[in-house]
Every structure is written in structure tokens, then in C-alpha cells.
Amino acid sequence: MIGREGATAILRKAIDFSDAEQTQAVLIGGESALTRLAENVIHQNVAESDARLTVKAVFGRKIGTASGNDLSDEGVRRTAARACEIARINREDRRFVSLPAPTGDAYPQVRCFSERTAAFGAAKRAAAAGIFAAEARSAGFRAAGSLGVQAGEIAIANSLGVLAYSPHTRVEASTVVMSGAGAGYAGDSAVDVDDISFAEMARTAVQKCRDSLNAAALPPGDYEVVLEPEAVGAMLLFAIRVGFHHVLYRQGGSYLSRKLGRRVLGDNVTIWDDGTDPRGLPMPFDFEGTPKRKLMLFENGVFRNMVYDSYTAGEAGAKTTGHSIPYADFGAMPMNVFVQPGGASIQDMIKSTERGILVTRFHYTNLVRPGKVVITGMTRDGTFLIEGGKVKGPVMNMRFTQSVLEALRCVEMVGSEPRRLGMANVPAMKIGKFSFTGATEY
Amino acid sequence: MDELLMRPALDAAVRAGAEYADIRRVGRVTESIGVRQGAVRSISSSSEQGFGVRVLAGGAWGFAASSRLDPDEVQRVARQAVGIARASAQVMDRKVTLAPVEPVTDTYRTPVRVDPFAVKMEDKVSMLLEADRLVSAQRKPWRVATRLIGEAYLNWSRENKRFLSTEGADIQQELVECGGGVAATAGTLREIQRRSYPNAHRGHYATAGWEFVESLRLADAAPRIGREALALLGARRCPSGRTALILDSTQMALQIHESCGHPIELDRVFGSEASFAGTSFLTPDKRGAFRYGSEAVNITADATMPGGLGTFGYDDEGVPAQRTEIIREGVFLNYLTSRDTAPLVGDEASSGAARATGPDRIPIVRMTNVNLEPGDWTLDAMIRDTQDGILMETNLSWSIDDRRLNFQFAAEAGWEIKDGSLGAMLKNPNYTGITPEFWGACDAVGDKSEWRLWGTPNCGKGQPSQVAHVGHGASPARFRDVRVGVGR
Ligand SMILES: [Zn+2]
């Protein structure tokens, strides 16, 4: 870690080296390490230390971007010079208005760094991976999994006076436990490694694997489904990516285009974005240094707010909402999504289902058609038939092809216990009709 | 610089207790331009430097990397890698065995006629704006709300890397890549249709000089894809049912990638991606006997073929580029392997497919150029020979299960085939199948004249994530009795 002072000094240098009218400098870096498990042994175990400077230079309405990870004076000078050179060559961008000026608001106090996580080194990661392996081995199963730990920092400055710095930590853990034909999954993520119970994850995955042995084939068709949070999260990701995709939204190709204030999802679906909530993966500001705050996206199914960074806000005649993301040419995106929990447990959902399917999670979901957000994907790591309000038994994995919008318009029950899924905090859902279009042999 | 960094790193690793160590030092510059609707959306330049030290200590792997190229950092990182290996050894059942490789001192360079970095940025921008303009200049139909939007892209990069190992290898490589594409998006309030050239997902890429980009002639194809995107708005929907299916060579590249390229990665077979991308149905017992496809299906992995995104001199373990038979006349023969996976199936040597996407990532088993060998059909003859079928062109979306059996792929455009001729255009075409059944139903493969080596620059695998650049040679091919028009 470079630290606040060192990072600020690098940003100042970059802005000084630039002769552009407006300059923004962003430094993203840190240490990350990841331990992977396969067949009950650690087979990959890596660590890296990196920090990357990205400079955006603006002459009038001409923009250039360059980045590099050589942070010597010479390296910083080269990156700034390349950004300026590109900006000069570039054409006028008539949509560009300005880089953001300081808002005057203080950055929110956000708990996004944990010393315990930063100190969670190779030996501790191996011990945690050992918990997954031991639990699986004692059941006669095989565990795979990964345990990623990151201690990073983000610093942002621009020539209009924005200056922001924040360190952060993240832990992401997952395990898949397998036997001949069955598989079970558990995953978690947090700022503080102490918020994760590796033993509980191991037990969950082993139990799921045990429950999914001797799966039966089930014919494709429309079923009621109880989706665990991971499966809801995978669907939601597409609803967000397509809906808030700036270009689609402006061109009328997003289901949110011209729908501000109108109902687009079921009235029991409320979703907001909140970069300051410690239950997600919080950050006090976005990648332009604009303070984060809670923003309602869908209130009882009604589309309430579009998200913006400074560029897309300028284009739309709006104000930035603090949703700049670190990828050029993409627009703004909600990155800290929360779904309002309901009152039902997964057991309640199962009890209320006459005939349906319980899904642990999806695999390889992809967009088929953006209009109604039709996606396809497979179930994996625990798929079960529900009959007469009870889990009857495991079924082989199935392919679905389903409109996410239609699914989120027939949500019958919303779970009471949301799960942390990295970018989103999501409960389970029971959905009235879900279309399975194929099956596989395991 | 290397003298101060690289050998000392290996020495430090050995002093700390490593039985084996290698170091890769990589420098790379990548530049790109994106143009949309008559305006430049982004021009960016990204440079990267760094090194990664990989060690075996106590029989287990450790890896550490840094972007700070200084002697103290190299010592720290080498010791860190050994410490990580010792932690790995706490959860281990047997020591890692490496297939032997002859340590060489050698240099490899992508053959380049025109250096992409020497071409003026202004000329590149003009080329894209012209292609973009020609897309949107197509006359829109009667419908008031119809939009037609052009997009065009260029990417080019240069990577210099050096590999040293405690076994004595010292290999320097310079890989140059470039490519681009143009796309048309037509939309009404109700739907969006897209056509791309030469391929979907930002175009076509190669290890080559700028002469490759010029050969793509993006502007020449722009009017056609603009017209086709508009035509799709008025086209019939792809019918649902079972029919003969002809895939163009770009969609074949995707079909090979997902249903052959990934399942033959030997690390997947042994579960290394089980908690992430999944495993493989091609288990070791199937090797040499399993009928993967029909007799028309011959697939090779060839890192020596000029121009592919999977073309290099040596992989990132210092193993020379090779050509390996994967499927011969439909029978599954070989895997893509690395030095630590080859011995698990009794292979004496690695097939040279361990690749890392940067200095900060470990080499893992990756595709090189996984190619469907040409057959003896022209596309015209294939169509003439089809009574009832559909031709699908250019990938739109893809999904496949975690053992690579059940897939569902969508293409940008389709055409019905009736009595040996192409008929009406079809929108939203997609198809689904089970890998060995699908390839088993392959009854015609296009000949050399239809065959192209496509570049796939977006293959995701591994944790932390690695997005690799791989190649697929393919010509059009026909499959009998395929389920199309799923989930309308
Ligand atoms: Zn891939």
C-alpha cells in the first residue's frame, strides 16, 4: 500500500505534468492474494502487488486517456504526456461538458477497511482452505474452492479540486463440494474476514452435496421456482446491466428508457444502490471522487432514478449520482445494489409450493435478447424438486431461457435473509413461473 | 535491468528453499479506439510492467508478482513466493511433478510487416469514422422510430517478455497483436438487431502487423452490415423445431471454443476450475476411444500456425509451441496440457499450452489455436445439398453447462434453406444441443477456401481472472437434426 500521502503526491505530479485544461488522475492499487482448492488440496496460491495510474486529459472538448503502472517520476510523466497527446489528436466530443467539480459535501464515513483482513496472510488462508477440505474429506467428498483477500486503495484527484482517498479490504470465499454425481455450493464476501464463517460455509456445501446425490431427470417446462440468493443475484445483474446501460437507455433499447416514474417490476420488488452500506462492499466515493449516497432505483417496482457519472450526466442534462465506474466507454452503473428483504424464509417458500424447483445457483448465464432481458443459463451445485410443500429430491441440472423482467414481475415471496454477493445484497425469491428449456445428464 | 532483477530473483527463491523457480518479466503497451455514431468514444493507451516469480517448495506451488521493478522488491517477492508455497504444502496430498522440458536460450518475434504503433493515430481514427459513417448512411425503412447506429473499433498491442528458470531456460519473446471490427445496431421501440464484421465481440484479431488490419477492409463491409441489421427488424422469427443447421466459420469458432477448447483443458479435467468455470465431461478414461464427433470432425491445437492469437514461440513455462491432434476422425485423442498436468495422464511432455495473461498471473492451461481441420465442401455445395435447413451467422450469445455438455448459442442472423437454396432472412436465431451428439451429427465441413483462423480475444478463466487471447481456425459446417428456436 502506498498510503494517503504517497498516493496524493503521485496524483499531484500527474496533474502538474499535464498541460491540459482539465486533468483527472486516478490511482488504484494494493495487495491481493488468492488461494484455490481442488480435490481437497491447494493447487494454486498467488499474491500480487500493483498500483495503476490513469490520467484523463481534456482540451476543450477533446479527451484522451492513458494509464500505466510505472509510478516513477518518469513513468508518471509519460502517462500524463500520452493522455495529453491523445486528447490533442482526438476529435471534439460535443457530449462532454466538464469533469466534476467538488460537490462541497464531505465524504461519508464508511467502514471499508479491516486490519484483520489486511493481515490474513498465506498461512491463514491455507488454514481456511483446510477447513473446506477437511469437512469434505470427512464426508467422503471432494472440495474445490477459492479464498481471495484484497487490501487496496483508491485515490482520485482532478484539476478542479476534487481530492479523495480511501483504503479498502475485501474477502471473497467460495467452495463447491462434489461427489460422483452431486455437488453443493457455499459462498460469502465481506470487508472484514471475521464476518465470514468458513466452517459454516463448509458444512452448507457438504450438506448440499449430500442432498443432491442420486439426482433424477425432470422434463423441461414452466415451473414455479424458489431461487436462493445467488440465483436471484445472477438474474438481477442482467436487469441492472441492461436497464442502466447508458447507451441502450439513451437509444430507447433499455426496458427503462422513457419509463421514469412508471412501474417496470412487480410491486413487491424494491431495489436501491448504497455505496455507504457496510453490508455490501462499500466505498465513500465513485471513480471520479463524487461522494456516494443511497439512491432508490426501483420502489415497489416503480423506476425511480437513473444513475450517472459526470459524462453521462452532462449528456443528459442531469447531475452525477456518483456512479462512475473504472471502465471507459461504458457509462455509469449501480455497483452496490440492495434488494429490500421480505418476510419469508426459504422453508416458507418451499412449504407454499405445490410443484416447483429449488435452485441453489446458476452457471454461465448470458443475455439472449436485451429487450425483455431474456437470459439463458444452467442450474448447478444443488437443484431440487419440490412437491406438496416439501423438497422431494435432487434433480439433474437444467437449462433455463427466461425473461428477467417477467420473472421479477411475478415474484410471489421475498426472502427475509439477504446474502452478501459482492456487488449486491440479495434475498431468496419465489417466482410464479420460470421457463426451463433443456436438461443435462448430471 | 534484467540482469539486476531476474537471476537474483531465482537465486533468492532457491536460497529461501525453492526446488524449482521461474521468473517472467513482462512489458506491454495496449492501445484502442472506439467510435460510435459519428463520434470518437474513446482513445486510450495502457502500459504495464511487472514480474512474477513462481516456485515449487516442499512440492507445492507458490507465486508472487509485483509491478515495481527494483532489486529489493524482487528479493521480497521471491521470498514471498516461497512462503506461499510452504502454506500450500499444508493442504497437499502429493508433490507436484513437472514434465521435463529442454531448457533453451532463444528468441521469438511475431512476424510483422507494418508496426501498428507506427501508424498515425489520426489515420486510425479516420478509418473507423469512415466505416461508422458507411454503416449509418444506409437508408432507413418507412418506420419513423427506426434507428441505425454504427460502431467501429481498433485495438493493437505489443508485449515483450522474458522467461528464466532454475533449469536454465532463457527465452525472450515479442508478441504483436492487432485487429478491429465494425458493427451495426438497428432498433425500434420494440427490438434491437445487430450485425458485426468480420466477427462479433469487437471484430477479428491476429498476431500480425498493421497489414492484417488493412486486409480486413472494414469500410467495404460497413454498408452491408448496416443493411442487414435493418433487414433483420423486418425478418421472420427463427422457427422452433429440429432441422439441418449450417454455421458460418465465425459461429463455428465459438462452437469449437466452448464445446471442444474448454473441455480439453487438462487442468479443468482434474477439477482446478471446479468452483468457478466448472469441470469437463472429457474424463481421462475417454481418451483414445471416446467418439466425440462424426468422422468428418478433425480438431488440432496448433500454436505454430502463423497469425493466430494462440501463436507464440514458447508458452509461459518455456515449452516450445506445438501442434497436437485433439480429435481424429471423431475420436478424442489428446488434451491441452501444462508441465504439472501432463504427468497426471501419463504424458511424457507438456503440449505447451500453459499461458499467463500478464506478469501478475500464473500460467494455466489455455487454448492455443484450436482448429477444425478443413473438409471438402464449399459453402455453396453444402447449401445446394440441404433440402430443409437454416444457415446461422455470427455469434450473439453463448452459454454452456459446467461440464461443457449442454450448450445454447444465439447468432446475429439466420437464413432459411429450402430445396438447396437460401431463402428468407430469420431474426433471433438460436440453437441448443449436447456436445458429442451435436458433433456426432456433423456431416459436412467446409474446405480450405472457406477456412479462416479467427482470433478470440475474450476467453475468461481462472481466479484471479485471466482473459486470454486464443485462436480458432474453422470453415462453415453442417449438422443434422439440431434443435433451433429455443425459448421464444
Ligand atoms: Zn473461453
Side-chain angles (χ1 to χ4, degrees), chain A residues 364, chain B residues 254 257-258 261-262 265 268 366-367 398 404 456 458-461 466 468 470 472:
Chain A
Y364 220 135
Chain B
L254 184 278
H257 182 93
E258 299 291 354
H262 280 301
E265 294 163 346
R268 278 184 81 109
R366 299 309 298 234
M367 290 170 231
W398 64 98
R404 301 269 151 182
T456 300
N458 59 346
C459 177
K461 184 179 174 183
Q466 300 198 40
V470 306
H472 298 292

Side-chain angles (χ1 to χ4, degrees), chain A residues 128 130-139 141 143 175-177 183-187 196-211:
Chain A
I131 294 172
F132 295 159
E135 186 78 22
R137 191 179 290 115
S138 68
F141 299 156
T175 180
V176 170
V177 171
Y185 167 84
I196 295 180
S197 167
F198 298 108
E200 196 183 313
M201 282 178 63
R203 282 194 297 272
T204 302
V206 165
Q207 189 56 47
K208 264 260 153 71
C209 179
R210 193 173 282 131
D211 292 345

Side-chain angles (χ1 to χ4, degrees), chain A residues 36 42 45 47-50 65-67 69 82 95 251 258 329 364 366-367 380 399 401 437 439 442, chain B residues 31 41 45 47 49 65 67 88 91 147 149 189 273-274 276 361 397-399 401-402 406 408 483:
Chain A
R36 284 182 110 186
I42 292 175
N45 207 348
E48 64 179 300
S49 166
D50 192 13
T65 307
S67 75
N69 65 356
R82 187 66 182 143
R95 293 170 177 84
Q251 292 174 352
R258 288 179 291 270
D329 202 31
Y364 220 135
N366 208 335
L367 189 64
R380 72 177 279 190
R399 172 170 296 285
T401 306
T437 53
Y442 61 92
Chain B
E31 300 200 319
R41 291 305 158 140
S45 171
S47 73
Q49 62 173 28
S67 55
S88 304
V91 186
R147 308 172 310 273
I149 289 157
L189 287 180
E273 297 288 323
F276 184 60
R361 295 288 182 268
S397 98
W398 64 98
S399 171
D401 71 42
D402 58 312
N406 177 314
Q408 183 168 314
R483 188 171 158 218

Side-chain angles (χ1 to χ4, degrees), chain A residues 56-113:
Chain A
K56 186 185 259 188
V58 183
F59 293 90
R61 293 183 161 191
K62 293 168 33 163
I63 305 169
T65 307
S67 75
N69 65 356
D70 177 355
L71 301 181
S72 67
D73 281 5
E74 187 44 41
V76 172
R77 186 191 302 275
R78 216 173 24 240
T79 300
R82 187 66 182 143
C84 292
E85 199 180 347
I86 289 172
R88 283 200 187 85
I89 295 164
N90 206 346
R91 314 287 164 107
E92 296 267 330
D93 185 343
R94 58 192 163 78
R95 293 170 177 84
F96 176 79
V97 178
S98 172
L99 293 177
T103 59
D105 299 338
Y107 290 121
Q109 291 295 317
V110 178
R111 191 177 67 88
C112 50
F113 187 88

